[in-house]
Structure formats: C-alpha cells, structure tokens
Amino acid sequence: MVISWDEYFMGVALLSAKRSKDPNTQVGACIVNPNKVIVGVGYNGTPRGWDDKDFPWDKRDGEFTEQKYPYIIHAELNAILNANTKDLSGCTMYATLSPCNECAKAIVQSGIKRVVYISDKYKDVDIFKAAKKMFATMNIPCEQLKTDLTDLTINYKF
C-alpha cells in the first residue's frame, strides 16, 4: 500500500501528538514546505524546561492560573516555533485538530498557505469558528483530511 502525501504528513502529526502528556487532548502538527520537506513538528505541551510533573494537566476548573490553559503551547504554534527555517511561506500545516483562533493568527502571520486537519470536534466553539473565518478571509484553504485509512500500523520489528 502506498499512502498519499497528505496521509503521510498527517501520520507525522499523529505520531507527534503521542508526545503530548495532556490526558484529555493530544494534538500534533507538522509543517511541510512546497517541496514536500518537513520543516517543523510540534505537539501540545508545556514550555521548554518546565517539568511536566509540576503541571496541572487535569485541572479545567477553578482559578485560571491553576488550570492548564494559560500554560499550554498548542501543537501548531510549537511546530512554527520549532521550524528549522524562518521562512514558512507557501508551506502546509497538518494538524490533528482544527486550529483555534490563536494558532490561526500565527499560521497566517507565518505565511503558511494551506491547513489540513483530521478532527473538527470543536467546530461549534467560537474560537474555532473565528479561525475558519480568518482562513477564509485570507484565502487559506483549511480542509479536513479526506482518506479511507482508519489506522496505520508502525512495526518496530522491521
């Protein structure tokens, strides 16, 4: 079986998501340049150097500073920050979850010209609606991956 380029790069994003320690939502992202070369990967996690065991992963209620939300770097932004080039013009972002408005701003500002995602589970939440509006306004295609694949096995006993 030969997988498509979109399936291949989304596979990298899915694998990257497995690095996230978030028990509720593991998200991965992969940035690919127009020559089909990976230039950045990321997953949702804490800032570099923060000991994950000291992080409030499960907290979603109570004081804002005691929740995970103000500290998480989303996978898309991590991929942009981890990119091995400053010039992301014309690149494609593959993300396992449709980007939020904050990530959309970074995607647009960085020059990425196409976004592909798998899950759209928050499509009715305002920050995700705003992201889609931003992409549409900037003529950046933001599309759900079309594939017949349901899984892809990686075998370490090659």
Side-chain angles (χ1 to χ4, degrees):
M1 168 203 344
V2 176
I3 60 176
S4 72
W5 283 114
D6 282 349
E7 291 165 337
Y8 172 72
F9 294 124
M10 189 59 77
V12 172
L14 286 162
L15 191 59
S16 296
K18 296 297 184 187
R19 287 287 307 144
S20 174
K21 294 174 185 69
D22 189 326
N24 300 302
T25 307
Q26 291 183 308
V27 180
C30 176
I31 304 172
V32 179
N33 74 15
N35 293 319
K36 302 200 180 326
V37 174
I38 295 171
V39 296
V41 294
Y43 56 89
N44 58 319
T46 58
R48 188 174 286 134
W50 186 320
D51 191 341
D52 289 324
K53 70 179 178 357
D54 296 330
F55 193 75
W57 285 112
D58 287 324
K59 291 200 172 184
R60 293 180 298 232
D61 298 317
E63 292 286 325
F64 183 67
T65 58
E66 299 302 316
Q67 298 175 29
K68 67 180 181 177
Y69 302 110
Y71 310 107
I72 292 281
I73 300 173
H74 288 184
E76 301 92 332
L77 183 57
N78 247 337
I80 291 168
L81 295 172
N82 290 331
N84 61 14
T85 180
K86 287 183 82 173
D87 185 9
L88 299 177
S89 300
C91 287
T92 297
M93 167 76 73
Y94 292 87
T96 58
L97 182 63
S98 179
C100 71
N101 69 305
E102 292 298 321
C103 290
K105 289 188 274 187
I107 289 166
V108 170
Q109 191 70 11
S110 70
I112 291 170
K113 293 298 179 200
R114 180 177 175 237
V115 176
V116 181
Y117 61 89
I118 294 177
S119 175
D120 204 12
K121 70 179 181 177
Y122 299 119
K123 67 181 175 200
D124 295 324
V125 177
D126 286 344
I127 60 173
F128 293 89
K129 288 179 182 178
K132 294 239 176 69
K133 182 176 182 178
M134 202 176 316
F135 291 138
T137 300
M138 299 304 296
N139 295 315
I140 297 172
C142 180
E143 59 207 50
Q144 196 162 24
L145 178 68
K146 292 174 179 52
T147 181
D148 292 328
L149 290 176
T150 55
D151 59 57
L152 191 62
T153 302
I154 296 174
N155 186 345
Y156 281 91
K157 296 178 182 175
F158 189 67

